[in-house]
Amino acid sequence: MKLDNDFNDIDAIGDDHVGSSSETPMRKDAFRLNASEKIEIIRDDVRHIMETLGLDLSDDSLKGTPNRVAKMFVNEIFGGLDPKKKPSASTFENKYKYGEMLVEKNISVYSTCEHHLLPIVGKAHVAYISSGKVVGLSKMNRIVDYFAKRPQVQERLTIQIVKELQNVLDTEDVACVIDAKHLCVNSRGIRDIESSTVTSEFGGKFKEKETRREFLDYIKLDTQF
């Protein structure tokens, strides 16, 4: 049947981690409902899933789960879908004339695979070379977190971080490397608990071999305090 073949194709795309674009796929009416309305609808959907699985939602341990999951989806793990939550990244003049690369490494990444809605957990390493502007260090972490808080593929997440910093800093000289574990690989399917996925995006001077090598050497440094 064609329907069966369609579902097989969809499953294959998910297992192969194919992404559709560098922008998060969003419907035009994505923000027609407010957060409270979304939570109410998702709560009912989660309840239906749990009941379909045969769970007893009258049990004290389970009866609050649909509401908890709905609030978590809207307010937390998928909060990065809301453009109003995008961090304001104020920039400052590079008055001290620092001309070398700045590297923020080991930024925690907590995201969600858009194919199976399972966690992606890892570290991001971000760098830029100032063209006259600098940005507060914590803003780099917040930008990573904002784009991570949505259904993602790691390749898209890496690109979105670089594009946003290029826009904020008005320079192409931005790079990002992410090393992360995907629980859709580690806990289901092949169930390889040791493997991780590394993605990179290099812009401007970071496309040059020497600059890229310097960045990669920095993120290998063993920082301990």
Side-chain angles (χ1 to χ4, degrees), residues 50 55-66 68:
M50 296 179 70
L55 295 169
D56 180 4
L57 268 68
S58 68
D59 184 271
D60 287 344
S61 181
L62 295 177
K63 63 184 180 182
T65 299
R68 285 191 293 266

Side-chain angles (χ1 to χ4, degrees), residues 11-213:
D11 282 344
I13 288 173
D15 283 335
D16 290 340
H17 290 263
V18 176
S20 58
S21 70
S22 63
E23 299 296 328
T24 301
M26 299 287 289
R27 297 203 325 264
K28 291 182 179 179
D29 64 347
F31 305 105
R32 176 177 58 86
L33 302 175
N34 62 37
S36 296
E37 291 170 326
K38 289 180 179 181
I39 288 171
E40 183 177 351
I41 293 170
I42 294 170
R43 180 173 61 235
D44 290 340
D45 290 338
V46 174
R47 180 183 295 111
H48 181 239
I49 290 170
M50 296 179 70
E51 289 173 342
T52 302
L53 290 171
L55 295 169
D56 180 4
L57 268 68
S58 68
D59 184 271
D60 287 344
S61 181
L62 295 177
K63 63 184 180 182
T65 299
N67 191 57
R68 285 191 293 266
V69 172
K71 290 170 65 177
M72 176 184 69
F73 275 15
V74 174
N75 297 329
E76 297 179 74
I77 66 173
F78 298 141
L81 293 172
D82 186 350
K84 290 183 291 188
K85 293 186 177 182
K86 186 175 181 179
S88 58
S90 301
T91 58
F92 310 93
E93 183 182 351
N94 185 8
K95 292 183 178 180
Y96 26 84
K97 305 301 180 185
Y98 180 73
E100 302 300 321
M101 73 176 67
L102 185 146
V103 181
E104 185 82 357
K105 67 175 190 170
N106 294 331
I107 301 172
S108 295
V109 171
Y110 292 97
S111 192
T112 304
C113 167
E114 68 182 36
H115 299 134
H116 296 96
L117 298 186
L118 286 171
I120 300 171
V121 181
K123 297 291 184 181
H125 314 283
V126 182
Y128 71 90
I129 301 172
S130 175
S131 64
K133 296 180 180 179
V134 295
V135 67
L137 295 179
S138 68
K139 297 303 184 194
M140 298 168 72
N141 301 61
R142 294 181 190 278
I143 287 170
V144 171
D145 188 63
Y146 171 71
F147 286 104
K149 291 293 188 287
R150 55 180 66 181
Q152 276 288 14
V153 292
Q154 188 172 321
E155 298 92 330
R156 181 194 298 131
L157 174 59
T158 311
I159 293 169
Q160 288 176 335
I161 292 166
V162 169
K163 283 186 173 180
E164 179 64 16
L165 280 168
Q166 287 175 329
N167 182 59
V168 167
L169 291 163
D170 195 24
T171 179
E172 291 295 307
D173 303 333
V174 178
C176 178
V177 170
I178 297 177
D179 183 4
K181 283 183 173 288
H182 294 237
L183 265 68
C184 56
V185 174
N186 302 145
S187 68
R188 60 158 299 281
I190 190 63
R191 289 180 292 180
D192 184 346
I193 63 172
E194 297 299 329
S195 69
S196 69
T197 301
V198 179
T199 51
S200 62
E201 179 74 6
F202 301 109
K205 293 179 181 177
F206 287 94
K207 291 183 179 295
E208 299 171 5
K209 184 176 180 180
E210 184 175 338
T211 305
R212 184 167 64 248
R213 181 74 265 162

